[in-house]
């Protein structure tokens, strides 16, 4: 794991040189036994009485061990087991936030430690930010790229929005723990990375056509992380040591890219908007939640199909966008880097995850509705937005599928 550790730390060091704001992430331990380094780090920082945030599954995976080691060092930790909702899902919503808020004692609590995956990190980073407390990341699965994020997607009254939060001051990712994560979580991490194909495309498009901010260096970091996953998809699907190492490195690098840029543009485009729309509709319907990365991977394949149909075949949901007159050729050039729907689905299958709407359980009605409405969730000028705002929009004239 030496190369893994050195690569991640090298990136962190290089980024500090060019992005002073990056100094918030002080420590990154990415090697077997990393969880054992948490108590010593907290002692050096003077962070006593930490709250370990976990759920029933992540407590078993890492939380119990972490609690025992913190207690052995006299740090007086407390445990907050986030309760699932009526369907058995842990959700980053008002109830989960309030459960953790109640546990925080301003004069006593030194920091919050997220022992888990994406949802628990979102809950922890939001509460830590609002309480003015630092938080430490202890991932239990390579399932999302948001471990280093400074934003938290939170569901409030059924609507998912991203709120300002705080990035971790330290990450302790233990490959021995990560490799034991269920295969669906590992496949979800790969799906989250695949989404960079369309998010990077939407980012270029929004910058070129609407003047949204863009950073070539950040884009390059994200592209490199994506490519490393593609090259090692078989190892990831087989859960080899190298595969887990490569995937976790890529997820952290993608998260760092967002942290450096200050927004989620590098890693979140139309594919994430579809995923968020599906999530909110599932909450409204009372359905069990789907893994974020699983949704993103399938959404990426569908967005790729839509974009290729529009750019390469001139098949539009409504009409040809006026922007196509000026930027159509440029979009076609960018799209050459984006695999087809079938190719993306094949990669998802290799990673051991769902590869179609049918496998996810997304019905045609919900999918069609999300294509028409999901671009409204964020004020970004994605290609999906351009296609939906084309002259004559309102009555589909053709189907790309």
């Amino acid at each position: 794991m030496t190369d893994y550790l050195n690569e991640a730390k090298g990136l962190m060091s290089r980024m500090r040189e060019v992005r002073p704001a990056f100094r918030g992430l002080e420590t990154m331990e990415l090697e077997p036994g990393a969880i054992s380094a948490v108590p010593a780090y907290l002692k050096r920082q003077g962070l006593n009485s930490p709250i370990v945030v976990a759920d029933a599954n992540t407590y078993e995976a890492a939380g119990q061990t972490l609690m025992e080691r913190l207690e052995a060092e006299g740090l007086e930790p407390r445990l907050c087991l986030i309760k699932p909702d009526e369907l058995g899902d842990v959700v980053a919503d008002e109830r989960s936030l309030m459960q953790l808020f109640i546990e925080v004692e301003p004069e006593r609590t030194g920091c919050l430690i997220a022992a888990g995956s994406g949802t628990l990190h979102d809950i922890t980073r939001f509460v830590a930010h609002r309480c003015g407390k630092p938080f430490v990341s202890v991932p239990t699965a390579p399932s999302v790229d948001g471990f280093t994020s400074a934003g938290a997607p939170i569901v409030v009254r059924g609507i998912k929005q991203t709120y300002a939060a705080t990035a971790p001051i330290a990450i302790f990712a233990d490959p021995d723990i990560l490799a034991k994560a269920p295969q669906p979580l590992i496949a979800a991490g790969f799906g989250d990375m695949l989404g960079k194909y369309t998010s990077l495309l939407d980012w270029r498009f929004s910058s070129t056509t609407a003047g949204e901010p863009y950073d070539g260096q950040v884009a390059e970091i994200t592209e490199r992380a994506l490519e490393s996953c593609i090259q090692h998809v078989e190892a990831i699907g087989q859960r080899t040591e190298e595969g887990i190492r490569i995937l976790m490195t890529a997820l952290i690098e993608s998260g760092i890219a967002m942290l450096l840029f200050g927004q989620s543009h590098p890693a979140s485009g139309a594919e994430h908007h579809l995923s968020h729309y599906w999530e909110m509709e599932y909450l409204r319907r009372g359905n069990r939640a789907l893994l974020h990365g699983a949704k993103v991977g399938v959404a990426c394949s569908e967005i790729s199909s839509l974009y290729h149909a529009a750019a390469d075949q001139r098949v539009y949901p409504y009409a040809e966008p006026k922007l196509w007159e000026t930027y159509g050729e440029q979009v076609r050039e960018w799209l050459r880097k984006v695999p087809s729907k079938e190719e993306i689905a094949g990669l998802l299958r290799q990673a051991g995850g769902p590869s179609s709407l049918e496998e996810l359980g997304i019905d045609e009605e919900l999918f069609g509705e999300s294509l028409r409405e999901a671009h409204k969730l964020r004020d970004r000028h994605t290609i999906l937005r351009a296609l939906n705002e084309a002259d004559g929009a309102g009555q589909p004239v053709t189907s790309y599928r």
Side-chain angles (χ1 to χ4, degrees), residues 116-137:
S117 189
T119 297
L120 288 167
H121 274 68
D122 290 333
I123 294 167
T124 305
R125 79 175 77 253
F126 182 90
V127 174
H129 176 69
R130 294 304 173 98
C131 292
K133 301 293 181 181
F135 104 90
V136 173
S137 167

Side-chain angles (χ1 to χ4, degrees), residues 35-36 59-71 177:
I35 194 170
S36 300
Y59 176 74
E60 183 177 342
Q64 182 175 3
T65 298
L66 183 59
M67 286 290 294
E68 290 172 353
R69 301 204 173 159
L70 293 171
E71 288 170 352
I177 293 173

